[in-house]
Amino acid sequence: MFASFTEKLFPHDKRLNGAAVALLVLFSLAIFLPGFFTLPAIDRDEASFAQASKQMMQTGDMVDIRFQDDTRYKKPVGIYWMQVASVKLIQLVAGDEVQDTIWPYRIPSLLGAILAVLFTASIGCKLFNAETGFAAGILLASTFLLNAESRMAKTDAMLLAMICACQFVLAKAYMQTKALKLKDFLLFWGALGIGFLIKGPLILLGPVGTLIALKCFKQDIGFSKKLNPLLGLPFALLIILPWYLLITEQTGGAFYKDSAGHDLFAKIWEIQNWGHNFGLALPGLYAVIMPLTLWPASLPLLLAIPFIWASRHDKNVRFCLAWFVPIWLVFEITLTKLPHYVLPAYPALCLLAMHWLLSGMRDTSNKLWDIAAYIIFAGVSLGLALLPIWLPIKLEGTLFYWAMFAATLAFAACLTAIRLFRSKQPNLALAPLPLAGFALMLSLFGFLLPNLTHVFVSEQIVKQLPLLPECQNQLLATAGYSEPSLVFNTDTQTRFLNVGERLAVEMKRNPCLVGVVESEQKSEFLAKAPKFKLKPEYVGSVDGVNYGAGKIVHLDIYKTAAKTVPKRRAKKRPAKPNPTAP
């Protein structure tokens, strides 16, 4: 029965038919959409990207990239243009108010994740067979890291799609003897150009890194001539150069200083962000967290490692290794480490894992290795399943029963997968893993995170802001809280003043300014208010977790006392002369 189903779904050995593509898209949508519309803007990257895109629409300037008055030159313009186009299209149906809603800005990431799944499946068809490609696509769609990126309005999911597009054409040139078609030529160089507009030279880690690694593996790379770089490079430059020339003229080279000097190269030599906060900048970090970020694909990958090593001289396996190794090594030696940096290597890992599984789970390992893999996977799965229990109790003082039920289902599927892998049933072992992925993503992103109100502090602030009917232009300023999600959820003119004294000064100057004071700045704010003859009126408070800063916060909201707010008065018009008066 299973063989019959496989024959109908994969009638062609080296390409997917329409039914298989439709199943990949439907599964991707099913697993990526829970929480897509309900998760508030996430700090700090997503909110910063979305706000910069919003300001492009507000100002009409599609060249410069700004967050409020500050330049935002860490990344090129590609993802901002995609987000603007996405919001504009949604506005045609839903109206202008969707500009202030986060989910339209996430659509490019959703599309990028789906495209990455489809290209991964297509690469698997070229390197191995249609069944392996399809399984690898399903497995990639189930991974924890790609699910997180598909729900955030930032660069990484779409960059992954462009890398996979390049790798698809490269794999096609690698495997076939005949020349590439025009559509393949346009796809490779078009994806390369778009990728350069999304995240600069990082797009080269895919195709160029693969070619360098193949050369190091003593593999002939003469097939790369099929890409016709003499014609392809000018085509890619037609996509890349217009904006780069415009931003150079507009900023006088400041973009390159910030993008390359302060962002790209600084991350190689300096410890920033996540690596700084947790002190985990040493090489090997990505290998340690891989069982979590690649979950649930980490189980077959761990079991397949001995087979992959034994098959390293196989031409098709070597291509996947040449794809994976350069990306992994570059980011392992880079001091700044963020979990999503190695995402472009994950399709290759899924392909290798499924090649082992659907080759009959060739036994090249020992029992101790397998037992270690099962224990690691079971431990990570249990930890993920406990999150929907622990987090609501810790943060909200309650339980989310649907989230608990879905997480329990995910853990049960993981245990079933372990049992099937141990019994060496390759045709059945794959099935529980996508089920586990779907159940956990439904639990975490669909039921859990959108309801953790204490995590989304900016959302709580917005709900408690007072309406000042006396003011035509009501503004907001903060002291001690400066997360970009607050700007996205309120107004571009929202101000971060950092210290309580400055907030007191500004509230005195502008009675239409509402103030938000973090507990560490509250005493200074209240102490300085009488000095400036300010009478702050307490409105409400917000308690929550500022995960961007890694601390618990208490915020108080104040407005200027009502009697000090100047009310609008109707202007007196001069009396009209009476023509009949003597």
Side-chain angles (χ1 to χ4, degrees), residues 7 9-17 125 129-131:
E7 289 175 3
L9 187 60
F10 309 114
H12 310 288
D13 189 48
K14 291 298 181 181
R15 64 182 178 88
L16 298 174
N17 65 356
C125 291
N129 53 56
E131 188 177 358

mmCIF file of all heavy atoms in Angstrom, residues 7 9-17 125 129-131:
data_model
loop_
_atom_site.group_PDB
_atom_site.id
_atom_site.type_symbol
_atom_site.label_atom_id
_atom_site.label_comp_id
_atom_site.label_asym_id
_atom_site.label_seq_id
_atom_site.Cartn_x
_atom_site.Cartn_y
_atom_site.Cartn_z
ATOM 1 N N GLU A 7 4.468 5.547 -5.484
ATOM 2 C CA GLU A 7 4.536 5.568 -6.945
ATOM 3 C C GLU A 7 3.606 6.628 -7.521
ATOM 4 O O GLU A 7 3.935 7.286 -8.516
ATOM 5 C CB GLU A 7 4.167 4.189 -7.498
ATOM 6 C CG GLU A 7 5.235 3.128 -7.227
ATOM 7 C CD GLU A 7 4.796 1.751 -7.687
ATOM 8 O OE1 GLU A 7 3.682 1.647 -8.256
ATOM 9 O OE2 GLU A 7 5.546 0.778 -7.487
ATOM 10 N N LEU A 9 2.577 9.408 -5.920
ATOM 11 C CA LEU A 9 3.021 10.746 -5.532
ATOM 12 C C LEU A 9 4.312 11.144 -6.228
ATOM 13 O O LEU A 9 4.536 12.332 -6.500
ATOM 14 C CB LEU A 9 3.219 10.797 -4.010
ATOM 15 C CG LEU A 9 3.517 12.171 -3.395
ATOM 16 C CD1 LEU A 9 2.378 13.148 -3.685
ATOM 17 C CD2 LEU A 9 3.737 12.049 -1.892
ATOM 18 N N PHE A 10 5.169 10.163 -6.546
ATOM 19 C CA PHE A 10 6.457 10.448 -7.178
ATOM 20 C C PHE A 10 6.600 9.650 -8.477
ATOM 21 O O PHE A 10 7.410 8.724 -8.568
ATOM 22 C CB PHE A 10 7.604 10.098 -6.231
ATOM 23 C CG PHE A 10 7.465 10.690 -4.856
ATOM 24 C CD1 PHE A 10 7.272 9.875 -3.743
ATOM 25 C CD2 PHE A 10 7.505 12.071 -4.670
ATOM 26 C CE1 PHE A 10 7.142 10.410 -2.478
ATOM 27 C CE2 PHE A 10 7.369 12.607 -3.408
ATOM 28 C CZ PHE A 10 7.187 11.787 -2.307
ATOM 29 N N PRO A 11 5.822 10.006 -9.506
ATOM 30 C CA PRO A 11 5.922 9.273 -10.767
ATOM 31 C C PRO A 11 7.237 9.526 -11.497
ATOM 32 O O PRO A 11 7.644 8.737 -12.344
ATOM 33 C CB PRO A 11 4.730 9.794 -11.567
ATOM 34 C CG PRO A 11 4.466 11.154 -11.006
ATOM 35 C CD PRO A 11 4.803 11.068 -9.558
ATOM 36 N N HIS A 12 7.895 10.652 -11.175
ATOM 37 C CA HIS A 12 9.171 10.992 -11.809
ATOM 38 C C HIS A 12 10.277 10.927 -10.760
ATOM 39 O O HIS A 12 10.126 11.477 -9.663
ATOM 40 C CB HIS A 12 9.120 12.393 -12.426
ATOM 41 C CG HIS A 12 7.920 12.617 -13.296
ATOM 42 N ND1 HIS A 12 7.785 12.034 -14.534
ATOM 43 C CD2 HIS A 12 6.797 13.351 -13.088
ATOM 44 C CE1 HIS A 12 6.624 12.407 -15.055
ATOM 45 N NE2 HIS A 12 6.013 13.203 -14.202
ATOM 46 N N ASP A 13 11.366 10.295 -11.102
ATOM 47 C CA ASP A 13 12.419 10.082 -10.116
ATOM 48 C C ASP A 13 13.205 11.352 -9.820
ATOM 49 O O ASP A 13 13.703 11.528 -8.709
ATOM 50 C CB ASP A 13 13.379 8.993 -10.625
ATOM 51 C CG ASP A 13 14.364 8.558 -9.555
ATOM 52 O OD1 ASP A 13 13.912 8.301 -8.422
ATOM 53 O OD2 ASP A 13 15.571 8.494 -9.841
ATOM 54 N N LYS A 14 13.329 12.253 -10.803
ATOM 55 C CA LYS A 14 14.195 13.414 -10.654
ATOM 56 C C LYS A 14 13.458 14.751 -10.607
ATOM 57 O O LYS A 14 14.083 15.811 -10.707
ATOM 58 C CB LYS A 14 15.233 13.438 -11.778
ATOM 59 C CG LYS A 14 16.270 12.318 -11.679
ATOM 60 C CD LYS A 14 17.085 12.437 -10.391
ATOM 61 C CE LYS A 14 18.144 11.347 -10.286
ATOM 62 N NZ LYS A 14 18.914 11.455 -9.018
ATOM 63 N N ARG A 15 12.164 14.730 -10.456
ATOM 64 C CA ARG A 15 11.427 15.987 -10.283
ATOM 65 C C ARG A 15 10.109 15.720 -9.581
ATOM 66 O O ARG A 15 9.589 14.603 -9.590
ATOM 67 C CB ARG A 15 11.190 16.689 -11.624
ATOM 68 C CG ARG A 15 10.318 15.933 -12.603
ATOM 69 C CD ARG A 15 10.203 16.705 -13.910
ATOM 70 N NE ARG A 15 9.414 15.988 -14.896
ATOM 71 C CZ ARG A 15 8.087 16.078 -15.018
ATOM 72 N NH1 ARG A 15 7.405 16.881 -14.202
ATOM 73 N NH2 ARG A 15 7.447 15.401 -15.958
ATOM 74 N N LEU A 16 9.588 16.766 -8.957
ATOM 75 C CA LEU A 16 8.325 16.666 -8.236
ATOM 76 C C LEU A 16 7.172 16.960 -9.179
ATOM 77 O O LEU A 16 7.256 17.851 -10.032
ATOM 78 C CB LEU A 16 8.299 17.655 -7.074
ATOM 79 C CG LEU A 16 9.355 17.467 -5.972
ATOM 80 C CD1 LEU A 16 9.272 18.623 -4.990
ATOM 81 C CD2 LEU A 16 9.152 16.144 -5.256
ATOM 82 N N ASN A 17 6.080 16.226 -9.005
ATOM 83 C CA ASN A 17 4.883 16.553 -9.782
ATOM 84 C C ASN A 17 4.048 17.579 -9.031
ATOM 85 O O ASN A 17 4.363 17.992 -7.912
ATOM 86 C CB ASN A 17 4.076 15.281 -10.094
ATOM 87 C CG ASN A 17 3.520 14.638 -8.837
ATOM 88 O OD1 ASN A 17 3.783 15.086 -7.732
ATOM 89 N ND2 ASN A 17 2.750 13.580 -9.004
ATOM 90 N N CYS A 125 15.736 16.197 -5.374
ATOM 91 C CA CYS A 125 15.391 15.453 -6.598
ATOM 92 C C CYS A 125 16.609 15.319 -7.500
ATOM 93 O O CYS A 125 16.856 14.254 -8.080
ATOM 94 C CB CYS A 125 14.265 16.156 -7.343
ATOM 95 S SG CYS A 125 12.668 16.118 -6.516
ATOM 96 N N ASN A 129 16.699 11.580 -5.258
ATOM 97 C CA ASN A 129 15.476 11.210 -5.969
ATOM 98 C C ASN A 129 14.323 12.028 -5.408
ATOM 99 O O ASN A 129 14.478 12.754 -4.418
ATOM 100 C CB ASN A 129 15.192 9.701 -5.847
ATOM 101 C CG ASN A 129 15.182 9.231 -4.413
ATOM 102 O OD1 ASN A 129 14.444 9.751 -3.577
ATOM 103 N ND2 ASN A 129 16.005 8.232 -4.099
ATOM 104 N N ALA A 130 13.173 11.919 -6.053
ATOM 105 C CA ALA A 130 12.021 12.748 -5.685
ATOM 106 C C ALA A 130 11.562 12.473 -4.266
ATOM 107 O O ALA A 130 11.172 13.390 -3.529
ATOM 108 C CB ALA A 130 10.879 12.523 -6.673
ATOM 109 N N GLU A 131 11.585 11.219 -3.846
ATOM 110 C CA GLU A 131 11.123 10.874 -2.508
ATOM 111 C C GLU A 131 12.021 11.502 -1.441
ATOM 112 O O GLU A 131 11.536 12.054 -0.442
ATOM 113 C CB GLU A 131 11.097 9.352 -2.346
ATOM 114 C CG GLU A 131 10.452 8.893 -1.050
ATOM 115 C CD GLU A 131 10.366 7.379 -0.956
ATOM 116 O OE1 GLU A 131 10.773 6.689 -1.909
ATOM 117 O OE2 GLU A 131 9.883 6.895 0.087
#
